Amino acid sequence: MSEAATPEAPATVETVEAVVRRQLTQALGGRRGMVEAAVPTIAFTVLWLTTRELNLALVVSLSAAVVLLVIRLFQRSTVQFVVNAMVGIGIGWLFVARSAASGGSEEEQALAYFLPGILYNSAYTVVLALTCLIGWPIVGFMVGSVTGDPTAWHQDKQIVKLCTRLTWLLVLPCLLRVALQAPVWLAGNSGSMDPDTAVAILGALKIGLGWPLQIAALASMAWLLTRNQTPVSPTT
């Protein structure tokens, strides 16, 4: 790999920036993938707040995901992002069932639906931040998946620096979600906030801090990626 950025890199040369842009787009599923992730949450939140029927809210949110899955299958396009949403709903359902089994009220069960997302983003924040702190940013492995050697990129300080910055940009949305959602969940679960209000806020935050925040992070990454063109040298 080149040890310095080369702005004059020919258009035919694969660059680190191009690799990362492509990999991130695939990972996020584009706008459609992000919308598919938001629809079940919207369905759950609206139905719970309007009907107070927890099982109905869960069934409809899952049904919405199934409809999206059928559309994907009919169009013969990737089902990865719909399946991800369905897995999220399934995990949320398990947390609801656990809350019910332990004697939790309907309000506590509704709050339990949002707990997996908070825990997931907490773990994601810790893991991604750790990869930066130890000098092996996770985005670097996206570069390695293209070069054919998962660790060769680490020999180039310029690429390590770029990938570290990009990884921190991935950390920020997760950290922000936890910082805003966790206090609301704790307040609703402890009774210091009305549980219905907490569910409404969590639903709005989950949607508002989902694809819009991800797009903002992606835009920041795109801006950073347009500043240089660091050629990717395939390993031999």
Side-chain angles (χ1 to χ4, degrees):
M1 291 186 184
S2 170
E3 292 189 358
T6 56
E8 298 81 17
T12 56
V13 176
E14 180 77 291
T15 63
V16 174
E17 290 77 14
V19 169
V20 174
R21 281 197 298 268
R22 185 173 65 250
Q23 295 280 39
L24 287 173
T25 299
Q26 292 174 353
L28 294 173
R31 276 176 274 186
R32 180 175 179 179
M34 294 180 216
V35 169
E36 288 170 342
V39 167
T41 297
I42 295 173
F44 174 86
T45 304
V46 171
L47 279 169
W48 163 250
L49 293 175
T50 56
T51 69
R52 302 279 298 180
E53 293 289 339
L54 184 59
N55 286 332
L56 175 63
L58 288 168
V59 169
V60 171
S61 65
L62 182 60
S63 299
V66 170
V67 170
L68 294 171
L69 177 64
V70 171
I71 293 173
R72 282 280 193 175
L73 291 172
F74 181 77
Q75 295 175 339
R76 297 184 179 180
S77 58
T78 178
V79 300
Q80 173 188 347
F81 309 104
V82 180
V83 171
N84 288 347
M86 294 177 70
V87 170
I89 295 170
I91 295 174
W93 205 318
L94 289 176
F95 273 68
V96 170
R98 182 180 177 183
S99 176
S102 62
S105 64
E106 283 194 344
E107 290 81 3
E108 290 172 331
Q109 293 174 44
L111 285 168
Y113 179 80
F114 294 95
L115 182 57
I118 297 173
L119 295 177
Y120 170 83
N121 278 283
S122 298
Y124 209 71
T125 298
V126 171
V127 171
L128 290 186
L130 183 61
T131 67
C132 291
L133 295 174
I134 65 175
W136 286 85
I138 196 70
V139 172
F141 293 97
M142 295 181 183
V143 178
S145 68
V146 174
T147 64
D149 188 326
T151 60
W153 59 272
H154 198 260
Q155 299 172 12
D156 192 319
K157 293 182 179 180
Q158 288 292 98
I159 293 179
V160 173
K161 184 178 180 180
L162 171 65
C163 291
T164 298
R165 290 176 177 175
L166 292 169
T167 302
W168 279 121
L169 286 174
L170 287 178
V171 170
L172 287 177
C174 297
L175 181 61
L176 185 59
R177 290 178 191 125
V178 175
L180 294 179
Q181 291 178 320
V184 175
W185 187 90
L186 290 171
N189 206 51
S190 66
S192 59
M193 178 185 291
D194 177 68
D196 280 349
T197 301
V199 169
I201 294 174
L202 286 171
L205 287 175
K206 190 175 179 69
I207 296 165
L209 299 178
W211 62 266
L213 186 59
Q214 208 66 50
I215 288 175
L218 199 57
S220 299
M221 297 175 81
W223 173 81
L224 185 61
L225 290 169
T226 56
R227 298 180 62 191
N228 300 298
Q229 290 190 1
T230 310
V232 171
S233 301
T235 58
T236 56

